[in-house]
Amino acid sequence: MLSSKLLPASRILRASGSSLSSSRRRTLATVASSNVVNIVEVGPRDGLQNEKGSVIPVDTKIELINRLAKAGAMNIEAGSFVSPKWVPQMGGTADVIKGIRPLPNVHYAVLVPNKRGLDDLISLLDQHTSHPSLSDEISIFTAATDQFTRANLNCTTAESLERLAPVAKAAVNRGLRVRGYVSVAVACPYTGKVDYKRTREVAAKLRDMGCYEISLGDTVGQGRPWEVAEMIEEVKKEVEVEMLAGHFHDTYGTAVSNVLTALQHGIRTIDSSVGGLGGCPYSPGATGNVATEDVLYALQDSQYKVAGSANGTINLEQMVDIGWWISEKLGRESVSRAGRAIRARRRREAEQKVKSKL
Ligand SMILES: CC(C)(COP(=O)([O-])OP(=O)([O-])OC[C@H]1O[C@@H](n2cnc3c(N)ncnc32)[C@H](O)[C@@H]1OP(=O)([O-])[O-])[C@@H](O)C(=O)NCCC(=O)NCCSC(=O)C[C@@](C)(O)CC(=O)[O-]
């Protein structure tokens, strides 16, 4: 386990459950210079929510989450309490949460869109008090444009923020940590290039309502590294970089570059999805999140160290296996570039071994 000294600020806040006091901010400034990178594994939620066809069995989702935790993932978005009419794949989240074998030091988060979602989670937790670590975090979400928020939440961004404020407050009062998402932080499928001032304002409002971390989503996956850099610099004018996370989809193949750009601009928490699973139901054509395997590979032997519970990190080889396993369950191959290359390398090595024995 990494010492808390090495963990990015927002994750320390989450560990202590405290709010940002001024003395905290000073300690955090030192921590922010750390090169430890946190991964938030969003495969079981963002990765699976958009799957077409039949609903993925609860047992498969549970196995996915348990495998991810075993491979060292310490932050896993396990599902969402949203309307199953809107997102049918997330319908069985309560059963998924109940079925997880919770590991110590792993945070299992659940996405909620409204008070009803939070109430559903709380009633589940109340029924399972013997598993206090079942789920200790909610993610709430809105967007930088009204058009996207309407498609995703059936209201404007201002209305969503108004609805989310009491949800965040109730969650914090209950002892849950609250993470906020700003979707379409760079570009919107309905309106094109986004005014980053708007991204900044929405991120600041989420911070003010009690979110310990705000994830900036390139939902469409069309952000270029220089645009991501500009967006982050704009948001940083109002929100501490220690509280920011990067969430990049890979539609145009820029996701790994965008991750590196985010790190260069001070962000230390990255959302990713095993096997590059995913896509957003309200962003037509958008592909999956940056693959966790690709991020792990890109950061190997660099100045950055990925935090995790498998010998202090996340095991890349195991993640490759999980990416292939879940992709095959979904009837396809993993789209992770590192995953494919590592599988090919393993095949070559196995063939050479056979040849050398002949
Ligand atoms: C917010 C609503 C419900 C509004 O939807 P609405 O239709 O305006 O709400 P409503 O209050 O009229 O409710 C409609 C029905 O849903 C039910 N309902 C209401 N709330 C819930 C709930 N929590 N759980 C279960 N059921 C619920 C409610 O009871 C009712 O049932 P009916 O009376 O018709 O039988 C809807 O818009 C919704 O569920 N949206 C969620 C959309 C979603 O999950 N999108 C994907 C996640 S966001 C994302 O992927 C982006 C992100 C985070 O990854 C970052 C990035 O990449 O940018």
Side-chain angles (χ1 to χ4, degrees):
M1 252 290 281
L2 287 153
S3 88
S4 63
K5 259 193 195 152
L6 293 174
L7 290 173
S10 56
R11 302 269 152 198
I12 290 181
L13 282 178
R14 127 200 281 219
S16 66
S18 67
S19 60
L20 265 178
S21 68
S22 54
S23 61
R24 257 294 182 202
R25 280 172 204 256
R26 274 192 294 278
T27 326
L28 298 182
T30 332
V31 177
S33 64
S34 146
N35 280 337
V36 175
V37 175
N38 275 286
I39 298 289
V40 176
E41 172 58 56
V42 295
R45 195 278 305 169
D46 206 2
L48 299 185
Q49 71 182 10
N50 200 34
E51 279 300 315
K52 305 285 176 274
S54 50
V55 172
I56 301 153
V58 164
D59 286 349
T60 305
K61 294 178 184 169
I62 293 171
E63 189 173 349
L64 173 62
I65 294 164
N66 287 339
R67 283 184 183 220
L68 290 166
K70 220 169 150 206
M74 289 167 70
N75 308 286
I76 303 176
E77 217 171 59
S80 48
F81 282 108
V82 296
S83 163
K85 286 185 192 151
W86 283 65
V87 186
Q89 285 294 3
M90 290 292 107
T93 292
D95 293 328
V96 172
I97 300 292
K98 278 189 274 185
I100 293 171
R101 262 196 325 275
L103 290 188
N105 305 317
V106 179
H107 299 278
Y108 301 92
V110 178
L111 194 83
V112 306
N114 54 15
K115 177 83 170 48
R116 157 82 190 272
L118 177 64
D119 289 346
D120 287 354
L121 173 65
I122 288 177
S123 91
L124 180 73
L125 296 178
D126 285 344
Q127 287 160 33
H128 295 83
T129 44
S130 55
H131 281 308
S133 63
L134 212 55
S135 181
D136 60 358
E137 176 170 328
I138 62 163
S139 312
I140 57 177
F141 54 103
T142 182
T145 68
D146 284 338
Q147 289 79 353
F148 189 85
T149 314
R150 265 190 219 290
N152 206 18
L153 285 166
N154 207 19
C155 59
T156 63
T157 301
E159 284 163 350
S160 75
L161 289 165
E162 216 171 287
R163 288 178 199 176
L164 290 173
V167 177
K169 193 169 174 201
V172 170
N173 287 343
R174 166 72 194 212
L176 297 168
R177 283 162 293 233
V178 184
R179 186 172 204 250
Y181 279 104
V182 186
S183 286
V184 298
V186 185
C188 172
Y190 308 108
T191 61
K193 189 173 164 65
V194 162
D195 178 357
Y196 306 146
K197 287 196 186 78
R198 188 92 172 107
T199 306
R200 186 192 79 207
E201 285 162 11
V202 176
K205 290 217 163 76
L206 288 170
R207 185 262 325 268
D208 292 346
M209 69 173 72
C211 292
Y212 78 94
E213 187 167 273
I214 294 105
S215 179
L216 304 169
D218 179 19
T219 315
V220 195
Q222 78 182 45
R224 304 174 182 95
W226 62 268
E227 292 170 316
V228 167
E230 280 181 15
M231 182 273 290
I232 293 170
E233 286 306 314
E234 181 61 35
V235 176
K236 274 164 67 177
K237 288 180 188 165
E238 209 171 337
V239 182
E240 301 83 338
V241 71
E242 296 83 0
M243 300 187 77
L244 298 176
H247 179 107
F248 304 108
H249 287 255
D250 201 27
T251 317
Y252 284 79
T254 51
V256 170
S257 310
N258 289 338
V259 166
L260 295 174
T261 301
L263 295 177
Q264 278 158 4
H265 286 263
I267 285 182
R268 289 291 178 270
T269 300
I270 298 295
D271 302 351
S272 64
S273 177
V274 70
L277 298 173
C280 176
Y282 304 104
S283 179
T287 58
N289 292 92
V290 66
T292 307
E293 303 90 306
D294 295 359
V295 176
L296 294 176
Y297 179 78
L299 299 187
Q300 253 182 1
D301 302 327
S302 72
Q303 80 255 41
Y304 300 109
K305 175 160 176 38
V306 173
S309 60
N311 292 324
T313 189
I314 300 176
N315 187 304
L316 172 58
E317 298 285 331
Q318 281 182 44
M319 289 306 265
V320 169
D321 292 338
I322 299 168
W324 277 88
W325 169 79
I326 186 65
S327 300
E328 279 173 359
K329 289 268 177 208
L330 301 174
R332 55 173 180 268
E333 291 192 342
S334 164
V335 297
S336 160
R337 302 293 293 265
R340 285 165 179 259
I342 288 170
R343 288 264 296 196
R345 187 208 69 208
R346 286 180 189 165
R347 259 198 310 274
R348 271 195 317 276
E349 284 171 359
E351 281 163 14
Q352 273 161 9
K353 219 169 164 183
V354 171
K355 272 188 202 150
S356 68
K357 279 190 184 148
L358 291 177

